[in-house]
Amino acid sequence: MTRSIYEQALGEEFKKLHPRIQERFGFSSKDQIASIGQGVMDRIWFNKWAALPLALGASRHIMFPQGGSGIPFTIENYAYRDGFGRETVTWIRKFQFKRSIRHFDATMIYSADRKGIVDYLGNKQHLAVDLDITAASNGGIRIRSGDQRFYEGLLQFTWPAQLTGTADVTEWYDDEREKFRISVNVSSPVLGTVFHYEGSFDAELIPMRHIPLDAKPLREEARE
């Protein structure tokens, strides 16, 4: 039986998650379902000193130099086996600003070699990030980024820690509001907070026999 990549990463700690969080993070490609959500980000903020690198990242669906409040938001999580046979989960996030739709996309796999989840940021899998995943005290799931590796053609290297941003993500279920809530903070040793958003959303599991083609990355990277 194929377990979700988050169950593999958390082991027995997965049982500490709120039942709705277990539901959202507990399905695999064998289940043929997807988690589709929509809601509102109460606040999106970016550091103006980081506008240029954020703009470069936006071209590959990695964050963006735009902020605001009350921003409509959708999230799509599909589980499938990629071209290398790896259990994969998509994170297709769209933020609906007045004059544009911004994307923040990723695909995550469980790496047996690294004994944890590797997050490929963007739509071309050129940036691979190790993730540390734990159960939060409120029954949510906490995800913190670690080493980051760049892959482009024959080029590959690990980014120096002082040149990278560290992401700290917590998603939990609010029983009073009956909504999922999320807080994302990306910080830099040099600039402090670089990018931040927080808000809430509803999500449901729906049958999904085939993954939409536009939900998959434009290319897949074998190197983890």
Side-chain angles (χ1 to χ4, degrees):
M1 180 178 179
T2 302
R3 294 190 299 162
S4 82
I5 62 174
Y6 306 101
E7 280 190 85
Q8 294 181 63
L10 284 169
E12 287 298 310
E13 198 173 356
F14 188 80
K15 297 176 183 177
K16 296 180 182 179
L17 302 178
H18 187 286
R20 293 299 307 276
I21 296 294
Q22 288 190 40
E23 178 182 85
R24 231 182 79 69
F25 287 82
F27 64 93
S28 72
S29 59
K30 292 287 187 181
D31 298 307
Q32 295 188 330
I33 56 177
S35 176
I36 306 299
Q38 61 180 358
V40 174
M41 291 299 105
D42 300 322
R43 180 173 183 254
I44 302 176
W45 180 90
F46 74 98
N47 188 323
K48 293 182 179 179
W49 291 102
L52 179 57
L54 287 175
L56 293 173
S59 66
R60 293 198 175 188
H61 293 186
I62 306 174
M63 296 185 288
F64 44 85
Q66 195 165 349
S69 58
I71 307 300
F73 165 84
T74 62
I75 183 166
E76 302 171 30
N77 300 109
Y78 304 101
Y80 66 98
R81 292 275 180 174
D82 72 3
F84 302 105
R86 303 174 300 191
E87 186 71 18
T88 305
V89 176
T90 68
W91 287 79
I92 309 300
R93 291 159 285 205
K94 298 177 184 177
F95 304 82
Q96 178 69 65
F97 291 91
K98 288 184 179 180
R99 294 185 176 86
S100 62
I101 297 176
R102 295 291 196 173
H103 295 253
F104 184 9
D105 300 340
T107 43
M108 299 185 186
I109 66 160
Y110 181 81
S111 170
D113 291 338
R114 294 185 176 276
K115 298 180 180 179
I117 290 179
V118 173
D119 186 11
Y120 291 106
L121 297 180
N123 57 6
K124 293 187 177 180
Q125 293 195 344
H126 70 286
L127 189 60
V129 182
D130 292 333
L131 299 182
D132 176 53
I133 299 185
T134 57
S137 59
N138 62 358
I141 189 167
R142 186 177 183 187
I143 303 173
R144 284 169 286 185
S145 65
D147 289 345
Q148 301 181 19
R149 297 170 295 282
F150 182 85
Y151 302 127
E152 189 72 69
L154 297 177
L155 181 64
Q156 61 179 59
F157 60 87
T158 298
W159 283 99
Q162 61 269 29
L163 297 180
T164 64
T166 300
D168 194 337
V169 180
T170 303
E171 183 179 316
W172 69 100
Y173 189 76
D174 187 327
D175 286 299
E176 289 188 9
R177 296 176 60 184
E178 297 185 334
K179 289 182 179 292
F180 292 95
R181 298 181 65 183
I182 188 167
S183 174
V184 175
N185 193 74
V186 180
S187 61
S188 157
V190 177
L191 297 175
T193 300
V194 172
F195 187 73
H196 173 79
Y197 65 84
E198 58 187 29
S200 61
F201 61 96
D202 298 302
E204 61 177 335
L205 299 179
I206 64 172
M208 185 64 60
R209 291 185 60 85
H210 302 289
I211 307 303
L213 289 178
D214 62 358
K216 295 183 178 182
L218 298 177
R219 75 173 180 90
E220 293 179 339
E221 174 60 61
R223 294 164 292 187
E224 300 173 3

